[in-house]
Amino acid sequence: MERESMIEKPLRVLYVASEVYPLAKTGGLGDVSSVLPSALRQLGVDARLLIPAYRGVIAQIQGYPVSGLFSVLPSLGPVQLFRGVLPEALPGSLTPVYAVECPFLYDRLGGPYLDSYGQDWPDNALRFAVLSKVAALFGSGSGLDGWQPHIIHCNDWQTGLVPVYLAHHPEAYSCSVISIHNLAFQGNFSPDLMPVLGLPWSCFNYHGIEFYGCISYLKAGLYYADKILTVSQSYAREIQTPEFGFGLEGLLADCRGRLTGILNGIDVSRWNPSTDPYLVANYDASNLCGKLENKRELQVRMRLDPELDLPILALVTRLTEQKGVDLVLSLMVELLEQPLQVVVLGSGDKNYQLQWKVLAAQYPGRVGVAIGYDEGLAHLIEAGADLFLMPSRFEPCGLNQMYSMRYGTLPVVRRTGGLADSVVDVTPRSLLDGTATGFVFENANRSELLACLLRALLLYGNSRDWRQVQSHGMHCDFSWAASAALYLELYRTTVSARWSLV
Ligand code: ADP
Ligand code: GLC
């Protein structure tokens, strides 16, 4: 391929992900996958998505087959490729979606990764190897559906095998980049799988996909991709240290020349208090009356006492140790000595779920808990609450602090990862120069979190300063425009670097 034709416009990007809102979502990756490709398309990139055809996906994208049945891995049945469009895309941008149909791997009740009992699907290694192999077929030989991407953008361990498959294909064409959304999940599997994956044993070693005797899908991606991305600059630095590296810090430090942090944006049309259809009243920075209406509704929905003057502290999250849920639980009794209410929406660790339910029973009218996943309630909480808690032990980016600022709900965050990069602590100085947007504390321990919360409650009592911080957060620009431009630049340099070597 000539260099000129390789980097001709438009740049073609295949964005491969295991979850995409509204088709499948368990967390922030689903949000990012749905909006970043749209934002890239608005910059003139031919960005398309590739996902597994989980149950119902083909109907939702109004998909039609663009291939016959074809085989991807030895000893595994055939798959078929469908094409459709992403529902609810950004206005004016219809993102094409390819879905890999393989009913015995994807068409089942339950989530993308877990069954209905919360256990990992036992065949996850195969489910995501198939997705990765199909992505690699797009980037090698003559492509699929008559389309070959310049860049395949992989996300997390579920797509980590893409760069390896490309590296072992004689006609590889595409460059690959991989985004780390969470280093804690690595996709480590038994080496017995090697023959099924169709990869040579030569890549199962320290300089390859082996990690402590296992096949690591994430390490595979990091090792073989042209570029490694993560979702904030702070997290890009942190993951090169033992505290945050989950054993991969050495590799990441060695790779720092091809590691970049770009802060996620948010979907400012879906998360917009002045148009959000999940709210009972819309509002904006110039008139916050609607926010109070949402607080009233939230108190009704969560069975809290109808006391509009009390601050509501909120938590919407996966209930895991990463999110510091145990820290919040540990200080609840002390915190509830203050005049305030607490709402929690989340699911995850059974022990945390139980502890929250017990607290709700002990403090009726003051603690409201909803266990489960509820997109609409998450929006109402952002609008109706006053403070949003994110005391994460680590947080690659975090989206809820940005949603909170946009909804005039002040975030309380630990200074880590994307939280450190997006929230400006309230101090006398930041209040004076008008840059304050929330409350930040340093270390993940109970006393620092409590002190920070008490500081936040103190400011709640000063309505003039509170309004100022609310207003500044609501005016911050968290849209994807700036970050998408950085991705585009990175794709361009990656493609040029590859092809200038030819
Ligand atoms: P993570 O991806 O680590 O879970 P993020 O802050 O990046 O954290 O994104 C979490 C996303 O998932 C947000 O859109 C948040 O509103 C949503 N979310 C988390 N838990 C729930 C829940 N129980 N119900 C509804 N939405 C949830
Ligand atoms: C992960 C991270 C979260 C990030 C999200 C999207 O789930 O835990 O911090 O915001 O991915 O990148």
Side-chain angles (χ1 to χ4, degrees):
M1 183 70 57
E2 296 292 322
R3 176 168 190 264
E4 280 69 20
S5 59
M6 186 61 205
I7 54 175
E8 77 207 353
K9 282 185 174 176
L11 195 77
R12 299 184 295 274
V13 175
L14 182 67
Y15 196 88
V16 195
S18 52
E19 53 181 274
V20 178
Y21 178 85
L23 305 172
K25 172 176 161 184
T26 69
L29 171 61
D31 286 349
V32 171
S33 313
S34 102
V35 70
L36 174 55
S38 302
L40 288 165
R41 289 184 74 78
Q42 290 183 338
L43 295 179
V45 175
D46 181 1
R48 305 183 187 188
L49 278 155
L50 177 69
I51 59 163
Y54 301 121
R55 177 163 295 184
V57 159
I58 292 177
Q60 281 177 276
I61 63 173
Q62 299 183 358
Y64 55 92
V66 289
S67 78
L69 294 171
F70 60 102
S71 175
V72 284
L73 292 180
S75 74
L76 212 75
V79 306
Q80 192 172 16
L81 196 64
F82 281 71
R83 181 177 169 171
V85 289
L86 186 68
E88 297 185 30
L90 289 182
S93 130
L94 288 181
T95 307
V97 184
Y98 292 107
V100 181
E101 199 205 35
C102 185
F104 82 96
L105 289 180
Y106 306 129
D107 185 6
R108 45 178 85 156
L109 278 176
Y113 320 118
L114 309 178
D115 63 21
S116 3
Y117 302 102
Q119 302 296 318
D120 282 342
W121 292 113
D123 55 354
N124 271 346
L126 279 184
R127 298 170 74 235
F128 295 111
V130 166
L131 176 68
S132 299
K133 188 65 193 277
V134 173
L137 290 176
F138 267 100
S140 39
S142 50
L144 290 173
D145 192 28
W147 189 78
Q148 275 187 313
H150 297 107
I151 294 273
I152 302 184
H153 191 146
C154 313
N155 291 279
D156 277 348
W157 72 264
Q158 291 87 350
T159 55
L161 292 186
V162 178
V164 199
Y165 282 130
L166 282 173
H168 290 89
H169 197 289
E171 292 170 68
Y173 169 92
S174 308
C175 303
S176 60
V177 303
I178 183 161
S179 282
I180 304 169
H181 296 266
N182 195 328
L183 205 57
F185 302 109
Q186 302 182 344
N188 297 334
F189 301 103
S190 160
D192 297 345
L193 274 172
M194 281 302 286
V196 184
L197 299 181
L199 286 167
W201 277 101
S202 58
C203 64
F204 184 72
N205 67 57
Y206 179 79
H207 296 291
I209 70 177
E210 185 271 344
F211 187 57
Y212 292 101
C214 292
I215 303 168
S216 167
Y217 282 26
L218 183 60
K219 183 188 166 193
L222 303 180
Y223 193 84
Y224 286 94
D226 293 280
K227 289 274 164 56
I228 303 171
L229 288 151
T230 190
V231 288
S232 68
Q233 290 185 343
S234 288
Y235 195 60
R237 281 190 301 274
E238 290 169 350
I239 55 180
Q240 298 176 48
T241 67
E243 188 186 349
F244 296 93
F246 288 94
L248 287 165
E249 60 274 10
L251 174 64
L252 287 162
D254 286 349
C255 298
R256 61 184 170 280
R258 56 187 174 95
L259 167 64
T260 310
I262 300 178
L263 192 71
N264 285 332
I266 60 170
D267 185 338
V268 289
S269 48
R270 198 158 66 81
W271 290 91
N272 182 352
S274 63
T275 54
D276 191 329
Y278 290 116
L279 310 192
V280 291
N282 292 115
Y283 61 94
D284 59 28
S286 65
N287 184 352
L288 286 160
C289 295
K291 188 163 171 62
L292 214 59
E293 290 306 309
N294 289 293
K295 186 168 187 173
R296 201 190 308 276
E297 173 68 12
L298 183 60
Q299 287 175 327
V300 172
R301 286 270 297 270
M302 302 300 280
R303 297 202 175 83
L304 299 176
D305 298 334
E307 303 214 41
L308 286 178
D309 289 342
L310 291 186
I312 298 185
L313 280 56
L315 208 63
V316 177
T317 186
R318 293 183 287 118
L319 297 173
T320 62
E321 202 189 339
Q322 174 196 342
K323 302 292 182 180
V325 176
D326 52 319
L327 296 177
V328 184
L329 281 163
S330 75
L331 51 74
M332 280 303 289
V333 172
E334 203 167 336
L335 195 63
L336 284 160
E337 286 167 11
Q338 306 288 324
L340 53 82
Q341 299 178 335
V342 176
V343 296
V344 178
L345 166 63
S347 63
D349 189 308
K350 299 270 181 303
N351 181 30
Y352 295 148
Q353 294 187 178
L354 183 67
Q355 290 188 58
W356 279 114
K357 281 186 192 160
V358 169
L359 270 167
Q362 282 173 337
Y363 293 89
R366 296 197 58 206
V367 178
V369 173
I371 300 297
Y373 187 90
D374 186 335
E375 188 75 24
L377 183 57
H379 284 245
L380 181 67
I381 291 176
E382 286 292 6
D386 298 289
L387 286 164
F388 195 97
L389 274 53
M390 295 183 78
S392 305
R393 290 202 162 73
F394 66 95
E395 195 62 75
C397 177
L399 300 174
N400 274 116
Q401 77 280 15
M402 297 192 248
Y403 301 151
S404 301
M405 289 183 260
R406 197 156 158 75
Y407 280 64
T409 301
L410 275 44
V412 176
V413 306
R414 177 172 176 226
R415 195 185 303 284
T416 184
L419 300 175
D421 295 358
S422 57
V423 181
V424 178
D425 191 26
V426 169
T427 61
R429 189 184 183 147
S430 65
L431 270 180
L432 207 63
D433 64 23
T435 54
T437 53
F439 303 89
V440 186
F441 65 100
E442 297 295 328
N443 298 299
N445 62 54
R446 181 183 184 284
S447 55
E448 289 195 37
L449 171 59
L450 184 61
C452 191
L453 282 170
L454 294 177
R455 204 154 59 81
L457 292 171
L458 205 63
L459 195 85
Y460 185 77
N462 177 339
S463 55
R464 192 181 57 100
D465 286 351
W466 185 268
R467 279 280 138 76
Q468 188 206 316
V469 180
Q470 269 185 319
S471 165
H472 183 61
M474 293 181 84
H475 283 107
C476 286
D477 179 8
F478 294 116
S479 71
W480 267 102
S483 296
L486 295 175
Y487 278 98
L488 177 53
E489 186 55 34
L490 183 127
Y491 296 150
R492 286 217 172 103
T493 51
T494 308
V495 172
S496 320
R498 162 79 66 91
W499 291 89
S500 64
L501 295 175
V502 175

